[in-house]
Amino acid sequence: MSGNSFGKLFNLTTYGESHGPALGGVIDGCPPGIELDIEAIQNELNRRKPGQSAIVTQRKEPDTVKFHSGIFEGKTTGTSIGFVIENTNQKSHDYTHIKDSYRPSHADYVYDKKYGFRDYRGGGRSSARETACRVVAGAIAKQMLKGIEITAYVSGVGTMKLNKPYTELDLTKTESNIVRCPDQAMAANMEAYIKEVRSKGDTVGGIVSCVIKNVPVGLGEPVFDKLHAELGKAMLSINAVKGFEYGSGFEGSTMYGSDHNDAFNSDGTTKTNFSGGIQGGISNGMDIYFNVAFKPVATLIQKYETIDKVGNPVEMQGKGRHDPCVVPRAVPIVEAMAALVLADFHLINKMYS
């Protein structure tokens, strides 16, 4: 299996399965001398870890990161940063009922057909538990990107949408509720809705929005390595993501060019920001903002029809511990992947100076 690495100069390679002994990763390309706040890195993992509230999976994992290399006396050395996150609360028996069957909309079928074999325990390598490694690397990237602020939040759950631009929200309130929505009234409604969906054994999708402030002009490369293209790839590589839009997004397709064009101020900033902080694939110094759409979790705690390995119809019911809605825990993952993209382009930009 290839495809386990992300980034060119700031590069992350991850390993491990959902129900294996551990997950881990190696970060290459991190510059030396960066003073790391290990507590802040662990806090990012705590935002993503399971069992943190009543509306997420109740799998109890501490998700404590242990660094094995690349850090000395609290600073990066410039060598590979190796880390591990041990799995401590596996219940692999919860998945024995799917050993010979395929869950709809999961990777079970395609993994089996591609490799001729699959780890059915929690999906193995296809499990979203792998994203814990991304959060570790993203937390380090954040500390490398001094002054740049990356803030994600939940803006939609099912049909509930927070129809306010980010400029009208107090994003410091995002962590004040378990849904991670900065609008308290909407957060309460979303929480109640997720609990209702869960009580029915069903799941629901949602939207995570992200805002990146204080990005310097010049990040991103022309043609194939555009900044928004890499952000799109990063977000679409996250489990359960079905869509990505930045700036005016799909709504921009309904506008006239005379309304959509971002007119310049004398200092090079723009009067509007339909471009989403990126023009020609390169950051222009304005806020970068985008939306990431997550599908409903495929595992349902209710009976449904599927097929077994030889194509026979079978009845199945999900077991184990699963999120009824992934977006509250996806917020730090979106931030982490955005940080990895910016860290990579930050190092690429140094090649021009």
Side-chain angles (χ1 to χ4, degrees), residues 17-24 42 48-51 58-66 84-93 121 129 132 321:
E17 291 83 34
S18 176
H19 285 244
L23 303 162
Q42 185 60 54
R48 194 220 72 97
K49 73 179 182 180
Q58 294 306 293
R59 177 173 175 171
K60 300 295 184 181
E61 290 284 359
D63 278 0
T64 302
V65 62
K66 298 177 182 178
V84 66
I85 303 166
E86 294 179 353
N87 290 325
T88 65
N89 192 223
Q90 307 97 312
K91 291 186 178 180
S92 300
H93 62 270
R121 304 166 304 165
R129 183 145 178 73
R321 302 155 295 178

PDB file of all heavy atoms in Angstrom, residues 17-24 42 48-51 58-66 84-93 121 129 132 321:
ATOM      1  N   GLU A  17      -3.054   0.819  12.443  1.00  0.00           N
ATOM      2  CA  GLU A  17      -4.451   0.491  12.209  1.00  0.00           C
ATOM      3  C   GLU A  17      -5.286   0.807  13.442  1.00  0.00           C
ATOM      4  O   GLU A  17      -4.772   0.899  14.554  1.00  0.00           O
ATOM      5  CB  GLU A  17      -4.619  -0.994  11.852  1.00  0.00           C
ATOM      6  CG  GLU A  17      -4.053  -1.394  10.505  1.00  0.00           C
ATOM      7  CD  GLU A  17      -2.562  -1.662  10.566  1.00  0.00           C
ATOM      8  OE1 GLU A  17      -2.088  -2.156  11.601  1.00  0.00           O
ATOM      9  OE2 GLU A  17      -1.868  -1.366   9.575  1.00  0.00           O
ATOM     10  N   SER A  18      -6.590   0.890  13.212  1.00  0.00           N
ATOM     11  CA  SER A  18      -7.524   1.238  14.272  1.00  0.00           C
ATOM     12  C   SER A  18      -7.429   0.309  15.478  1.00  0.00           C
ATOM     13  O   SER A  18      -7.498   0.747  16.616  1.00  0.00           O
ATOM     14  CB  SER A  18      -8.958   1.226  13.723  1.00  0.00           C
ATOM     15  OG  SER A  18      -9.902   1.460  14.734  1.00  0.00           O
ATOM     16  N   HIS A  19      -7.275  -0.990  15.218  1.00  0.00           N
ATOM     17  CA  HIS A  19      -7.252  -1.963  16.306  1.00  0.00           C
ATOM     18  C   HIS A  19      -5.909  -2.670  16.419  1.00  0.00           C
ATOM     19  O   HIS A  19      -5.813  -3.738  17.029  1.00  0.00           O
ATOM     20  CB  HIS A  19      -8.390  -2.974  16.134  1.00  0.00           C
ATOM     21  CG  HIS A  19      -9.730  -2.403  16.490  1.00  0.00           C
ATOM     22  ND1 HIS A  19     -10.483  -2.861  17.530  1.00  0.00           N
ATOM     23  CD2 HIS A  19     -10.427  -1.380  15.952  1.00  0.00           C
ATOM     24  CE1 HIS A  19     -11.610  -2.161  17.612  1.00  0.00           C
ATOM     25  NE2 HIS A  19     -11.600  -1.267  16.647  1.00  0.00           N
ATOM     26  N   GLY A  20      -4.863  -2.081  15.873  1.00  0.00           N
ATOM     27  CA  GLY A  20      -3.518  -2.587  16.080  1.00  0.00           C
ATOM     28  C   GLY A  20      -2.968  -2.081  17.394  1.00  0.00           C
ATOM     29  O   GLY A  20      -3.644  -1.370  18.140  1.00  0.00           O
ATOM     30  N   PRO A  21      -1.710  -2.394  17.702  1.00  0.00           N
ATOM     31  CA  PRO A  21      -1.135  -1.954  18.986  1.00  0.00           C
ATOM     32  C   PRO A  21      -0.934  -0.446  19.081  1.00  0.00           C
ATOM     33  O   PRO A  21      -0.970   0.120  20.175  1.00  0.00           O
ATOM     34  CB  PRO A  21       0.202  -2.697  19.050  1.00  0.00           C
ATOM     35  CG  PRO A  21       0.512  -3.052  17.630  1.00  0.00           C
ATOM     36  CD  PRO A  21      -0.799  -3.282  16.961  1.00  0.00           C
ATOM     37  N   ALA A  22      -0.720   0.213  17.937  1.00  0.00           N
ATOM     38  CA  ALA A  22      -0.445   1.650  17.993  1.00  0.00           C
ATOM     39  C   ALA A  22      -0.582   2.286  16.619  1.00  0.00           C
ATOM     40  O   ALA A  22      -0.583   1.609  15.595  1.00  0.00           O
ATOM     41  CB  ALA A  22       0.972   1.898  18.523  1.00  0.00           C
ATOM     42  N   LEU A  23      -0.692   3.610  16.632  1.00  0.00           N
ATOM     43  CA  LEU A  23      -0.577   4.443  15.447  1.00  0.00           C
ATOM     44  C   LEU A  23       0.695   5.263  15.612  1.00  0.00           C
ATOM     45  O   LEU A  23       1.187   5.444  16.722  1.00  0.00           O
ATOM     46  CB  LEU A  23      -1.773   5.393  15.330  1.00  0.00           C
ATOM     47  CG  LEU A  23      -3.162   4.774  15.290  1.00  0.00           C
ATOM     48  CD1 LEU A  23      -4.197   5.830  15.629  1.00  0.00           C
ATOM     49  CD2 LEU A  23      -3.440   4.195  13.917  1.00  0.00           C
ATOM     50  N   GLY A  24       1.205   5.763  14.512  1.00  0.00           N
ATOM     51  CA  GLY A  24       2.402   6.587  14.643  1.00  0.00           C
ATOM     52  C   GLY A  24       2.751   7.282  13.353  1.00  0.00           C
ATOM     53  O   GLY A  24       2.057   7.146  12.341  1.00  0.00           O
ATOM     54  N   GLN A  42      -0.520  17.960  22.751  1.00  0.00           N
ATOM     55  CA  GLN A  42      -1.430  17.002  23.379  1.00  0.00           C
ATOM     56  C   GLN A  42      -2.854  17.552  23.438  1.00  0.00           C
ATOM     57  O   GLN A  42      -3.831  16.815  23.274  1.00  0.00           O
ATOM     58  CB  GLN A  42      -0.941  16.652  24.788  1.00  0.00           C
ATOM     59  CG  GLN A  42      -1.764  15.581  25.477  1.00  0.00           C
ATOM     60  CD  GLN A  42      -1.775  14.269  24.709  1.00  0.00           C
ATOM     61  OE1 GLN A  42      -0.725  13.722  24.383  1.00  0.00           O
ATOM     62  NE2 GLN A  42      -2.967  13.755  24.412  1.00  0.00           N
ATOM     63  N   ARG A  48      -9.484  15.959  19.393  1.00  0.00           N
ATOM     64  CA  ARG A  48      -9.876  14.957  18.393  1.00  0.00           C
ATOM     65  C   ARG A  48     -10.236  13.614  18.996  1.00  0.00           C
ATOM     66  O   ARG A  48     -10.986  12.824  18.390  1.00  0.00           O
ATOM     67  CB  ARG A  48      -8.715  14.753  17.409  1.00  0.00           C
ATOM     68  CG  ARG A  48      -9.095  13.994  16.120  1.00  0.00           C
ATOM     69  CD  ARG A  48      -8.013  13.009  15.716  1.00  0.00           C
ATOM     70  NE  ARG A  48      -7.991  11.884  16.632  1.00  0.00           N
ATOM     71  CZ  ARG A  48      -8.599  10.712  16.415  1.00  0.00           C
ATOM     72  NH1 ARG A  48      -9.274  10.493  15.307  1.00  0.00           N
ATOM     73  NH2 ARG A  48      -8.538   9.742  17.321  1.00  0.00           N
ATOM     74  N   LYS A  49      -9.757  13.312  20.201  1.00  0.00           N
ATOM     75  CA  LYS A  49      -9.841  11.948  20.726  1.00  0.00           C
ATOM     76  C   LYS A  49     -11.292  11.499  20.950  1.00  0.00           C
ATOM     77  O   LYS A  49     -12.184  12.316  21.167  1.00  0.00           O
ATOM     78  CB  LYS A  49      -9.054  11.824  22.022  1.00  0.00           C
ATOM     79  CG  LYS A  49      -9.681  12.478  23.238  1.00  0.00           C
ATOM     80  CD  LYS A  49      -8.803  12.244  24.468  1.00  0.00           C
ATOM     81  CE  LYS A  49      -9.426  12.854  25.718  1.00  0.00           C
ATOM     82  NZ  LYS A  49      -8.584  12.629  26.906  1.00  0.00           N
ATOM     83  N   PRO A  50     -11.530  10.184  20.907  1.00  0.00           N
ATOM     84  CA  PRO A  50     -12.868   9.649  21.150  1.00  0.00           C
ATOM     85  C   PRO A  50     -13.240   9.764  22.624  1.00  0.00           C
ATOM     86  O   PRO A  50     -12.388  10.001  23.483  1.00  0.00           O
ATOM     87  CB  PRO A  50     -12.737   8.188  20.712  1.00  0.00           C
ATOM     88  CG  PRO A  50     -11.286   7.869  20.926  1.00  0.00           C
ATOM     89  CD  PRO A  50     -10.545   9.133  20.603  1.00  0.00           C
ATOM     90  N   GLY A  51     -14.535   9.608  22.905  1.00  0.00           N
ATOM     91  CA  GLY A  51     -14.995   9.565  24.283  1.00  0.00           C
ATOM     92  C   GLY A  51     -15.025  10.891  25.009  1.00  0.00           C
ATOM     93  O   GLY A  51     -15.195  10.936  26.229  1.00  0.00           O
ATOM     94  N   GLN A  58     -17.921   6.424  22.086  1.00  0.00           N
ATOM     95  CA  GLN A  58     -17.548   6.263  23.494  1.00  0.00           C
ATOM     96  C   GLN A  58     -16.314   5.379  23.684  1.00  0.00           C
ATOM     97  O   GLN A  58     -16.017   4.969  24.815  1.00  0.00           O
ATOM     98  CB  GLN A  58     -18.740   5.715  24.276  1.00  0.00           C
ATOM     99  CG  GLN A  58     -19.908   6.688  24.354  1.00  0.00           C
ATOM    100  CD  GLN A  58     -19.499   8.057  24.900  1.00  0.00           C
ATOM    101  OE1 GLN A  58     -19.144   8.181  26.063  1.00  0.00           O
ATOM    102  NE2 GLN A  58     -19.547   9.083  24.041  1.00  0.00           N
ATOM    103  N   ARG A  59     -15.595   5.104  22.616  1.00  0.00           N
ATOM    104  CA  ARG A  59     -14.307   4.420  22.773  1.00  0.00           C
ATOM    105  C   ARG A  59     -13.397   5.294  23.634  1.00  0.00           C
ATOM    106  O   ARG A  59     -13.233   6.486  23.348  1.00  0.00           O
ATOM    107  CB  ARG A  59     -13.666   4.165  21.407  1.00  0.00           C
ATOM    108  CG  ARG A  59     -12.277   3.507  21.495  1.00  0.00           C
ATOM    109  CD  ARG A  59     -11.753   3.113  20.132  1.00  0.00           C
ATOM    110  NE  ARG A  59     -10.391   2.606  20.187  1.00  0.00           N
ATOM    111  CZ  ARG A  59      -9.736   2.036  19.178  1.00  0.00           C
ATOM    112  NH1 ARG A  59     -10.345   1.916  17.995  1.00  0.00           N
ATOM    113  NH2 ARG A  59      -8.509   1.592  19.316  1.00  0.00           N
ATOM    114  N   LYS A  60     -12.836   4.739  24.688  1.00  0.00           N
ATOM    115  CA  LYS A  60     -12.018   5.506  25.627  1.00  0.00           C
ATOM    116  C   LYS A  60     -10.539   5.316  25.301  1.00  0.00           C
ATOM    117  O   LYS A  60      -9.950   4.283  25.597  1.00  0.00           O
ATOM    118  CB  LYS A  60     -12.301   5.071  27.067  1.00  0.00           C
ATOM    119  CG  LYS A  60     -13.755   5.270  27.507  1.00  0.00           C
ATOM    120  CD  LYS A  60     -14.139   6.747  27.534  1.00  0.00           C
ATOM    121  CE  LYS A  60     -15.558   6.931  28.058  1.00  0.00           C
ATOM    122  NZ  LYS A  60     -15.959   8.358  28.056  1.00  0.00           N
ATOM    123  N   GLU A  61      -9.973   6.307  24.659  1.00  0.00           N
ATOM    124  CA  GLU A  61      -8.555   6.292  24.328  1.00  0.00           C
ATOM    125  C   GLU A  61      -7.915   7.577  24.840  1.00  0.00           C
ATOM    126  O   GLU A  61      -8.396   8.676  24.542  1.00  0.00           O
ATOM    127  CB  GLU A  61      -8.355   6.205  22.811  1.00  0.00           C
ATOM    128  CG  GLU A  61      -8.731   4.877  22.179  1.00  0.00           C
ATOM    129  CD  GLU A  61      -7.708   3.782  22.432  1.00  0.00           C
ATOM    130  OE1 GLU A  61      -6.674   4.052  23.094  1.00  0.00           O
ATOM    131  OE2 GLU A  61      -7.950   2.647  21.977  1.00  0.00           O
ATOM    132  N   PRO A  62      -6.836   7.486  25.612  1.00  0.00           N
ATOM    133  CA  PRO A  62      -6.166   8.704  26.078  1.00  0.00           C
ATOM    134  C   PRO A  62      -5.467   9.456  24.958  1.00  0.00           C
ATOM    135  O   PRO A  62      -5.250  10.662  25.051  1.00  0.00           O
ATOM    136  CB  PRO A  62      -5.160   8.177  27.114  1.00  0.00           C
ATOM    137  CG  PRO A  62      -4.916   6.748  26.717  1.00  0.00           C
ATOM    138  CD  PRO A  62      -6.216   6.265  26.154  1.00  0.00           C
ATOM    139  N   ASP A  63      -5.097   8.734  23.895  1.00  0.00           N
ATOM    140  CA  ASP A  63      -4.399   9.331  22.750  1.00  0.00           C
ATOM    141  C   ASP A  63      -3.206  10.167  23.190  1.00  0.00           C
ATOM    142  O   ASP A  63      -3.012  11.314  22.752  1.00  0.00           O
ATOM    143  CB  ASP A  63      -5.370  10.176  21.910  1.00  0.00           C
ATOM    144  CG  ASP A  63      -6.183   9.327  20.945  1.00  0.00           C
ATOM    145  OD1 ASP A  63      -5.982   8.101  20.931  1.00  0.00           O
ATOM    146  OD2 ASP A  63      -7.021   9.887  20.220  1.00  0.00           O
ATOM    147  N   THR A  64      -2.404   9.589  24.053  1.00  0.00           N
ATOM    148  CA  THR A  64      -1.195  10.272  24.524  1.00  0.00           C
ATOM    149  C   THR A  64      -0.074  10.064  23.520  1.00  0.00           C
ATOM    150  O   THR A  64       0.251   8.928  23.167  1.00  0.00           O
ATOM    151  CB  THR A  64      -0.771   9.713  25.897  1.00  0.00           C
ATOM    152  OG1 THR A  64      -1.845   9.878  26.823  1.00  0.00           O
ATOM    153  CG2 THR A  64       0.465  10.445  26.408  1.00  0.00           C
ATOM    154  N   VAL A  65       0.512  11.155  23.052  1.00  0.00           N
ATOM    155  CA  VAL A  65       1.585  11.053  22.067  1.00  0.00           C
ATOM    156  C   VAL A  65       2.930  10.930  22.778  1.00  0.00           C
ATOM    157  O   VAL A  65       3.189  11.604  23.777  1.00  0.00           O
ATOM    158  CB  VAL A  65       1.582  12.260  21.107  1.00  0.00           C
ATOM    159  CG1 VAL A  65       1.814  13.572  21.847  1.00  0.00           C
ATOM    160  CG2 VAL A  65       2.622  12.070  20.001  1.00  0.00           C
ATOM    161  N   LYS A  66       3.764  10.047  22.256  1.00  0.00           N
ATOM    162  CA  LYS A  66       5.129   9.875  22.768  1.00  0.00           C
ATOM    163  C   LYS A  66       6.095  10.119  21.616  1.00  0.00           C
ATOM    164  O   LYS A  66       6.007   9.474  20.571  1.00  0.00           O
ATOM    165  CB  LYS A  66       5.320   8.455  23.320  1.00  0.00           C
ATOM    166  CG  LYS A  66       4.421   8.123  24.497  1.00  0.00           C
ATOM    167  CD  LYS A  66       4.615   6.678  24.946  1.00  0.00           C
ATOM    168  CE  LYS A  66       3.673   6.335  26.102  1.00  0.00           C
ATOM    169  NZ  LYS A  66       3.826   4.912  26.525  1.00  0.00           N
ATOM    170  N   VAL A  84       4.592   8.063  18.465  1.00  0.00           N
ATOM    171  CA  VAL A  84       3.676   6.933  18.552  1.00  0.00           C
ATOM    172  C   VAL A  84       2.500   7.302  19.447  1.00  0.00           C
ATOM    173  O   VAL A  84       2.639   8.065  20.408  1.00  0.00           O
ATOM    174  CB  VAL A  84       4.393   5.664  19.072  1.00  0.00           C
ATOM    175  CG1 VAL A  84       4.853   5.849  20.513  1.00  0.00           C
ATOM    176  CG2 VAL A  84       3.522   4.431  18.930  1.00  0.00           C
ATOM    177  N   ILE A  85       1.326   6.771  19.110  1.00  0.00           N
ATOM    178  CA  ILE A  85       0.112   6.911  19.919  1.00  0.00           C
ATOM    179  C   ILE A  85      -0.423   5.504  20.124  1.00  0.00           C
ATOM    180  O   ILE A  85      -0.897   4.864  19.176  1.00  0.00           O
ATOM    181  CB  ILE A  85      -0.948   7.778  19.211  1.00  0.00           C
ATOM    182  CG1 ILE A  85      -0.393   9.161  18.869  1.00  0.00           C
ATOM    183  CG2 ILE A  85      -2.204   7.900  20.073  1.00  0.00           C
ATOM    184  CD1 ILE A  85      -1.254   9.931  17.886  1.00  0.00           C
ATOM    185  N   GLU A  86      -0.356   5.000  21.332  1.00  0.00           N
ATOM    186  CA  GLU A  86      -0.759   3.620  21.587  1.00  0.00           C
ATOM    187  C   GLU A  86      -2.278   3.481  21.626  1.00  0.00           C
ATOM    188  O   GLU A  86      -2.982   4.345  22.143  1.00  0.00           O
ATOM    189  CB  GLU A  86      -0.153   3.138  22.907  1.00  0.00           C
ATOM    190  CG  GLU A  86       1.370   3.047  22.865  1.00  0.00           C
ATOM    191  CD  GLU A  86       1.959   2.582  24.186  1.00  0.00           C
ATOM    192  OE1 GLU A  86       1.189   2.456  25.171  1.00  0.00           O
ATOM    193  OE2 GLU A  86       3.180   2.354  24.237  1.00  0.00           O
ATOM    194  N   ASN A  87      -2.767   2.374  21.068  1.00  0.00           N
ATOM    195  CA  ASN A  87      -4.174   2.007  21.208  1.00  0.00           C
ATOM    196  C   ASN A  87      -4.329   1.219  22.500  1.00  0.00           C
ATOM    197  O   ASN A  87      -3.590   0.253  22.732  1.00  0.00           O
ATOM    198  CB  ASN A  87      -4.629   1.143  20.026  1.00  0.00           C
ATOM    199  CG  ASN A  87      -4.708   1.920  18.736  1.00  0.00           C
ATOM    200  OD1 ASN A  87      -5.054   3.093  18.720  1.00  0.00           O
ATOM    201  ND2 ASN A  87      -4.394   1.260  17.624  1.00  0.00           N
ATOM    202  N   THR A  88      -5.272   1.615  23.340  1.00  0.00           N
ATOM    203  CA  THR A  88      -5.412   0.966  24.637  1.00  0.00           C
ATOM    204  C   THR A  88      -6.802   0.391  24.893  1.00  0.00           C
ATOM    205  O   THR A  88      -7.005  -0.318  25.868  1.00  0.00           O
ATOM    206  CB  THR A  88      -5.115   1.968  25.771  1.00  0.00           C
ATOM    207  OG1 THR A  88      -6.107   3.008  25.759  1.00  0.00           O
ATOM    208  CG2 THR A  88      -3.734   2.592  25.608  1.00  0.00           C
ATOM    209  N   ASN A  89      -7.769   0.683  24.007  1.00  0.00           N
ATOM    210  CA  ASN A  89      -9.155   0.300  24.293  1.00  0.00           C
ATOM    211  C   ASN A  89      -9.826  -0.365  23.089  1.00  0.00           C
ATOM    212  O   ASN A  89     -10.967  -0.089  22.767  1.00  0.00           O
ATOM    213  CB  ASN A  89      -9.950   1.535  24.739  1.00  0.00           C
ATOM    214  CG  ASN A  89     -11.305   1.195  25.342  1.00  0.00           C
ATOM    215  OD1 ASN A  89     -12.303   1.840  25.058  1.00  0.00           O
ATOM    216  ND2 ASN A  89     -11.359   0.176  26.180  1.00  0.00           N
ATOM    217  N   GLN A  90      -9.073  -1.268  22.437  1.00  0.00           N
ATOM    218  CA  GLN A  90      -9.636  -1.967  21.286  1.00  0.00           C
ATOM    219  C   GLN A  90     -10.672  -2.988  21.732  1.00  0.00           C
ATOM    220  O   GLN A  90     -10.521  -3.624  22.772  1.00  0.00           O
ATOM    221  CB  GLN A  90      -8.545  -2.704  20.496  1.00  0.00           C
ATOM    222  CG  GLN A  90      -7.364  -1.851  20.090  1.00  0.00           C
ATOM    223  CD  GLN A  90      -6.202  -1.976  21.058  1.00  0.00           C
ATOM    224  OE1 GLN A  90      -6.370  -1.886  22.260  1.00  0.00           O
ATOM    225  NE2 GLN A  90      -5.009  -2.207  20.517  1.00  0.00           N
ATOM    226  N   LYS A  91     -11.730  -3.112  20.951  1.00  0.00           N
ATOM    227  CA  LYS A  91     -12.717  -4.177  21.146  1.00  0.00           C
ATOM    228  C   LYS A  91     -12.950  -4.830  19.788  1.00  0.00           C
ATOM    229  O   LYS A  91     -14.002  -4.673  19.163  1.00  0.00           O
ATOM    230  CB  LYS A  91     -14.019  -3.614  21.725  1.00  0.00           C
ATOM    231  CG  LYS A  91     -13.895  -3.132  23.172  1.00  0.00           C
ATOM    232  CD  LYS A  91     -15.246  -2.726  23.749  1.00  0.00           C
ATOM    233  CE  LYS A  91     -15.129  -2.298  25.193  1.00  0.00           C
ATOM    234  NZ  LYS A  91     -16.448  -1.897  25.772  1.00  0.00           N
ATOM    235  N   SER A  92     -11.957  -5.577  19.350  1.00  0.00           N
ATOM    236  CA  SER A  92     -11.980  -6.138  18.001  1.00  0.00           C
ATOM    237  C   SER A  92     -13.138  -7.105  17.792  1.00  0.00           C
ATOM    238  O   SER A  92     -13.612  -7.287  16.654  1.00  0.00           O
ATOM    239  CB  SER A  92     -10.658  -6.844  17.704  1.00  0.00           C
ATOM    240  OG  SER A  92      -9.579  -5.927  17.800  1.00  0.00           O
ATOM    241  N   HIS A  93     -13.623  -7.719  18.888  1.00  0.00           N
ATOM    242  CA  HIS A  93     -14.737  -8.667  18.744  1.00  0.00           C
ATOM    243  C   HIS A  93     -16.005  -7.983  18.248  1.00  0.00           C
ATOM    244  O   HIS A  93     -16.914  -8.648  17.743  1.00  0.00           O
ATOM    245  CB  HIS A  93     -15.008  -9.377  20.065  1.00  0.00           C
ATOM    246  CG  HIS A  93     -15.425  -8.462  21.176  1.00  0.00           C
ATOM    247  ND1 HIS A  93     -14.499  -7.869  22.017  1.00  0.00           N
ATOM    248  CD2 HIS A  93     -16.651  -8.033  21.578  1.00  0.00           C
ATOM    249  CE1 HIS A  93     -15.142  -7.112  22.900  1.00  0.00           C
ATOM    250  NE2 HIS A  93     -16.437  -7.180  22.653  1.00  0.00           N
ATOM    251  N   ARG A 121     -11.141  -5.278  11.482  1.00  0.00           N
ATOM    252  CA  ARG A 121     -11.298  -4.699  12.820  1.00  0.00           C
ATOM    253  C   ARG A 121     -11.355  -3.175  12.732  1.00  0.00           C
ATOM    254  O   ARG A 121     -10.333  -2.503  12.656  1.00  0.00           O
ATOM    255  CB  ARG A 121     -10.144  -5.122  13.719  1.00  0.00           C
ATOM    256  CG  ARG A 121      -9.926  -6.629  13.850  1.00  0.00           C
ATOM    257  CD  ARG A 121      -8.580  -6.917  14.473  1.00  0.00           C
ATOM    258  NE  ARG A 121      -7.499  -6.289  13.691  1.00  0.00           N
ATOM    259  CZ  ARG A 121      -6.260  -6.121  14.131  1.00  0.00           C
ATOM    260  NH1 ARG A 121      -5.935  -6.508  15.358  1.00  0.00           N
ATOM    261  NH2 ARG A 121      -5.347  -5.560  13.362  1.00  0.00           N
ATOM    262  N   ARG A 129      -9.342   6.718  12.618  1.00  0.00           N
ATOM    263  CA  ARG A 129      -8.408   6.811  13.751  1.00  0.00           C
ATOM    264  C   ARG A 129      -7.013   7.216  13.279  1.00  0.00           C
ATOM    265  O   ARG A 129      -6.236   7.797  14.040  1.00  0.00           O
ATOM    266  CB  ARG A 129      -8.393   5.489  14.517  1.00  0.00           C
ATOM    267  CG  ARG A 129      -7.513   5.499  15.737  1.00  0.00           C
ATOM    268  CD  ARG A 129      -8.033   4.673  16.900  1.00  0.00           C
ATOM    269  NE  ARG A 129      -7.091   4.706  18.016  1.00  0.00           N
ATOM    270  CZ  ARG A 129      -6.890   5.754  18.795  1.00  0.00           C
ATOM    271  NH1 ARG A 129      -7.587   6.856  18.607  1.00  0.00           N
ATOM    272  NH2 ARG A 129      -6.003   5.711  19.767  1.00  0.00           N
ATOM    273  N   ALA A 132      -5.415  10.819  13.894  1.00  0.00           N
ATOM    274  CA  ALA A 132      -4.719  11.280  15.100  1.00  0.00           C
ATOM    275  C   ALA A 132      -3.277  11.665  14.773  1.00  0.00           C
ATOM    276  O   ALA A 132      -2.744  12.645  15.316  1.00  0.00           O
ATOM    277  CB  ALA A 132      -4.751  10.193  16.176  1.00  0.00           C
ATOM    278  N   ARG A 321     -18.603   1.066  18.873  1.00  0.00           N
ATOM    279  CA  ARG A 321     -18.724   2.456  19.310  1.00  0.00           C
ATOM    280  C   ARG A 321     -18.408   3.370  18.132  1.00  0.00           C
ATOM    281  O   ARG A 321     -17.295   3.371  17.624  1.00  0.00           O
ATOM    282  CB  ARG A 321     -17.758   2.695  20.472  1.00  0.00           C
ATOM    283  CG  ARG A 321     -18.013   1.769  21.665  1.00  0.00           C
ATOM    284  CD  ARG A 321     -16.787   1.557  22.519  1.00  0.00           C
ATOM    285  NE  ARG A 321     -15.724   0.855  21.810  1.00  0.00           N
ATOM    286  CZ  ARG A 321     -14.537   0.595  22.342  1.00  0.00           C
ATOM    287  NH1 ARG A 321     -14.269   0.961  23.577  1.00  0.00           N
ATOM    288  NH2 ARG A 321     -13.615  -0.030  21.636  1.00  0.00           N
TER     289      ARG A 321
END
